[in-house]
Amino acid sequence: MPSLCLPGLLKQVVAAEAQHVDAHIIACFDDTGLDAARAIATKPVIGIGEASFHAVSLVAHSFCVVTTLSRSVPLIEDNIRRYGFSHRCRRVFASDIPVLELERPESGASERISEFIREGIRLGAEGIALGCAGIAEFASALQRKHDIPVVDGVGAAVGLAETLIRCGLEPSKRGVWARGWTGLNDTERPLARRASNRSQSSASNCGQSFSISTPKRSPLPFCCRTDAYAEVSPPKTSFSLARI
């Protein structure tokens, strides 16, 4: 269950804030733990699912989602309704290709995803959101192949995080994401408090930095794929990937 990863994910957020990162990205399309992370973080927290829906809606009036496993479909559909995009989403498809198989050319992942893109277009979709960080590397090729916007959630999340940083925006602490009991132990609370109270002048001089958390175990090559986003980020942006 996604909830089983929450303690580890939240500890990663606390640890990353103690290292003065400027934003956090949850690189799981289910947006696991997003509200909880925003409640304890002092910096923007972006889920790649929510980022994808916003991004694809800016370039397409309607869209469909192509994810990996069928068990993720109900969670993604619930999030789409909660975020207010249900009237624009035509359908959520599952390729049923395990994440660890995506690296293998013989898995036929790209063609399998293409089949669902063609079906989405038949249903009226004008854009595609790829529903897993593990298939982000297919986005450009699929966009060229189908002549339709194809959104990679990690790239969209990085871009949104940079925008929020430049605008000086941080999570609201009124209402839903108000600070309260965090479930952190006596060792972790001081780290969170110091991160929260630090002044802007104490921020790292290395430029914008991000904490990227993937609640589900991912293959080592995923770490390498974070390098692909250096092209759309400032040269001094740094990434830290937490695999839980």
Side-chain angles (χ1 to χ4, degrees):
M1 294 294 291
S3 59
L4 296 179
C5 74
L6 285 182
L9 187 149
L10 297 180
K11 287 182 180 180
Q12 291 293 330
V13 171
V14 171
E17 292 227 332
Q19 297 173 19
H20 311 317
V21 301
D22 298 302
H24 310 271
I25 295 172
I26 298 178
C28 174
F29 202 84
D30 300 349
D31 288 347
T32 303
L34 184 57
D35 281 326
R38 284 173 173 165
I40 67 170
T42 64
K43 297 300 178 182
V45 184
I46 309 294
I48 66 171
E50 187 174 18
S52 293
F53 306 142
H54 281 288
V56 73
S57 294
L58 293 174
V59 293
H61 186 266
S62 59
F63 65 91
C64 69
V65 176
V66 182
T67 188
T68 48
L69 303 180
S70 294
R71 68 182 183 184
S72 296
V73 171
L75 296 174
I76 293 172
E77 290 176 337
D78 285 347
N79 284 344
I80 288 171
R81 283 190 291 269
R82 179 187 172 207
Y83 299 152
F85 291 101
S86 57
H87 63 296
R88 301 180 69 170
C89 181
R90 294 293 177 261
R91 190 167 171 183
V92 179
F93 297 102
S95 66
D96 282 319
I97 300 175
V99 176
L100 296 180
E101 292 292 310
L102 294 171
E103 299 291 332
R104 301 174 55 194
E106 59 269 28
S107 71
S110 180
E111 181 52 38
R112 180 71 171 153
I113 295 168
S114 282
E115 292 175 7
F116 288 114
I117 290 178
R118 285 190 284 268
E119 177 63 13
I121 292 173
R122 188 187 70 80
L123 294 175
E126 300 171 3
I128 306 296
L130 295 181
C132 177
I135 55 179
E137 63 183 37
F138 297 123
S140 296
L142 290 169
Q143 182 164 284
R144 290 192 298 270
K145 181 176 183 177
H146 297 281
D147 193 26
I148 191 173
V150 178
V151 174
D152 147 31
V154 180
V158 170
L160 284 174
E162 291 174 343
T163 298
L164 294 176
I165 292 166
R166 292 191 182 105
C167 293
L169 297 173
E170 298 177 349
S172 171
K173 294 307 172 184
R174 291 182 178 273
V176 175
W177 299 324
R179 291 187 182 91
W181 182 80
T182 63
L184 305 174
N185 61 34
D186 291 340
T187 301
E188 294 157 347
R189 285 194 194 94
L191 292 176
R193 192 176 301 113
R194 285 199 296 271
S196 176
N197 294 334
R198 71 181 177 91
S199 65
Q200 187 67 30
S201 61
S202 67
S204 170
N205 291 323
C206 66
Q208 295 174 354
S209 57
F210 301 86
S211 154
I212 302 184
S213 296
T214 54
K216 300 174 183 176
R217 293 190 179 276
S218 57
L220 185 60
F222 179 78
C223 299
C224 302
R225 287 203 290 271
T226 61
D227 296 339
Y229 304 107
E231 298 178 4
V232 298
S233 305
K236 294 184 179 180
T237 296
S238 62
F239 296 86
S240 64
L241 172 65
R243 292 181 298 162
I244 301 170

